[in-house]
Amino acid sequence: MWRERRPPPPLLLIVAGAALLVIGAALASAPPEAALKVGFYHETCPIAEDVVLAEMRLILMEDATVAPALLRMHYHDCFVQGCDGSIMLRSRKKGKAERDAVPNRSMRGYDAVERIKARVETVCPLTVSCADIIAMAARDAVYLSHGPWYDVETGRRDGNVTVAEYVENDLPPPDSNIVDVKTFFSVKSLNSKDIAVLFGCHSIGTSHCGAIQKRLYNFTGNMDQDPSLDPAYAAELRKLCPPPRPGGDDDGAGGEGKVKVPLDPGSNYTFDLSYYRHVLATGGLFQSDGSLLHDPVTKGYVEKVAKAASPDEYYADFAAAMVKMGRTDVLVGDLGEIRPTCGIFVD
């Protein structure tokens, strides 16, 4: 069973390197040696994944809420200019960076990535990219939240371009309908099944009232509520999230307010199938969650997983979808760079 899978024991990659499987090329034009693959650091930093996992264990022991934050970071990184670690770069006078764009205002986990990066740098200087660390940390976040272990392809290099405006152009907002969601995902070569699978990331974590106030209080611009939202669940949400105050910014559009709302009530720090049951029963927290029920493919998948007796099939689908997303517009070979500090430009 997927739940019983465990990461390889330390240094297993050293003795099993000959058996490592190349999963696929990141770019059609990239030479074979520049391809993403499982075990990319076998020769240059064989303990890279062990170091990342060990540090992630310590980080989540200190603060379990970092797990969904790092999973979200990987998604936000990949959807904006590809999986290149550019989400980590800090703004400069030349322009505002991705991390300071409105959809990323509530993003957490930057310190965790820098902490992991610093640890990796002590054993393998200027070898492992920030983009790969984010991908590995996201996988470990799922695994340490009682989800599946899966092999992560590595070999990404870091991008040095970060533009805040790209974030709002490339990330579907939480109030997206299914047509919009499919459009955003199709640009990244992700299909309807991938959408339904990857939305399972909402099995862990919380959001803020700003992301759902429109759905609760002004769905069509007539001070109404989304009719597809279960009334009892909506009543619970309205207790947590009062109507927005005119000019108030405590739970504004950036979703950076103080009130936290679980994405998967009762199971928001355990990676399991209850998210799909929650969506099927209530319409989910975000409008985009509920939109999965408005398309035959995504609805069929939600219904299948919600009724599944075992998580095995979903876990296999999730692993495949995460690997697929992780190949989005990556920089490999001689492209990009390896930064010693993820948030600082190499000038």
Side-chain angles (χ1 to χ4, degrees):
M1 294 178 62
W2 276 89
R3 186 177 295 279
E4 295 174 350
R5 292 191 65 187
R6 293 295 184 267
L11 302 182
L12 178 61
L13 293 179
I14 295 178
V15 297
L20 291 173
L21 174 66
V22 175
I23 301 297
L27 297 174
S29 59
E33 65 271 20
L36 288 185
K37 65 179 182 179
V38 174
F40 178 85
Y41 297 108
H42 165 60
E43 297 292 341
T44 58
C45 190
I47 63 171
E49 294 199 43
D50 297 324
V51 172
V52 174
L53 178 59
E55 202 62 32
M56 278 293 294
R57 288 186 188 277
L58 295 174
I59 289 169
L60 297 188
M61 286 176 61
E62 297 168 11
D63 184 359
T65 68
V66 176
L70 291 174
L71 189 54
R72 180 188 180 206
M73 179 181 289
H74 183 39
Y75 160 61
H76 280 219
D77 185 42
C78 289
F79 263 60
V80 182
Q81 300 190 94
C83 313
D84 67 349
S86 58
I87 192 171
M88 290 294 300
L89 287 168
R90 300 184 187 127
S91 295
R92 300 194 294 182
K93 292 182 179 179
K94 296 179 181 179
K96 191 163 68 171
E98 293 172 31
R99 64 191 287 171
D100 291 323
V102 170
N104 285 337
R105 283 183 186 170
S106 60
M107 182 67 70
R108 300 171 58 241
Y110 299 110
D111 290 345
V113 174
E114 294 288 15
R115 173 173 164 178
I116 297 168
K117 173 65 171 175
R119 182 73 183 89
V120 172
E121 285 293 303
T122 63
V123 293
C124 305
L126 294 177
T127 303
V128 182
S129 70
C130 299
D132 277 345
I133 287 175
I134 292 171
M136 289 185 278
R139 184 270 312 280
D140 295 347
V142 170
Y143 172 68
L144 294 172
S145 299
H146 308 288
W149 174 269
Y150 58 91
D151 290 327
V152 170
E153 295 178 342
T154 47
R156 301 167 189 81
R157 289 172 66 83
D158 297 325
N160 59 7
V161 176
T162 180
V163 181
E165 288 79 4
Y166 294 169
V167 178
E168 297 189 32
N169 291 335
D170 293 346
L171 285 174
D175 61 355
S176 296
N177 59 41
I178 191 60
V179 175
D180 291 338
V181 171
K182 290 172 71 174
T183 299
F184 277 100
F185 275 68
S186 67
V187 172
K188 309 303 177 185
S189 300
L190 298 168
N191 59 34
S192 295
K193 180 180 178 180
D194 296 324
I195 292 169
V197 172
L198 290 171
F199 265 53
C201 291
H202 290 174
S203 176
I204 55 176
T206 60
S207 186
H208 296 272
C209 291
I212 59 172
Q213 281 174 332
K214 178 181 176 182
R215 192 180 192 198
L216 290 175
Y217 297 106
N218 196 22
F219 184 63
T220 66
N222 294 312
M223 307 304 290
D224 55 345
Q225 180 178 290
D226 181 354
S228 69
L229 191 60
D230 176 72
Y233 180 50
E236 293 177 13
L237 293 176
R238 291 167 78 98
K239 291 178 182 177
L240 291 171
C241 302
R245 298 176 301 166
D249 60 359
D250 54 331
D251 279 294
E256 67 278 10
K258 297 179 180 179
V259 178
K260 294 183 178 180
V261 185
L263 297 172
D264 183 13
S267 181
N268 57 308
Y269 289 109
T270 302
F271 194 94
D272 53 25
L273 306 187
S274 64
Y275 163 77
Y276 291 96
R277 300 176 187 126
H278 174 58
V279 169
L280 191 60
T282 68
L285 182 66
F286 300 141
Q287 183 181 339
S288 56
D289 291 319
S291 78
L292 296 178
L293 303 178
H294 302 158
D295 175 85
V297 175
T298 54
K299 181 180 180 182
Y301 192 85
V302 170
E303 291 175 335
K304 181 176 73 170
V305 177
K307 298 172 184 177
S310 165
D312 290 0
E313 183 177 355
Y314 173 67
Y315 283 172
D317 288 343
F318 179 78
M322 287 293 285
V323 170
K324 185 177 179 181
M325 185 185 76
R327 297 170 179 162
T328 303
D329 298 329
V330 295
L331 301 173
V332 295
D334 295 329
L335 302 176
E337 62 190 14
I338 303 295
R339 292 193 290 274
T341 304
C342 296
I344 300 177
F345 286 88
V346 177
D347 291 320

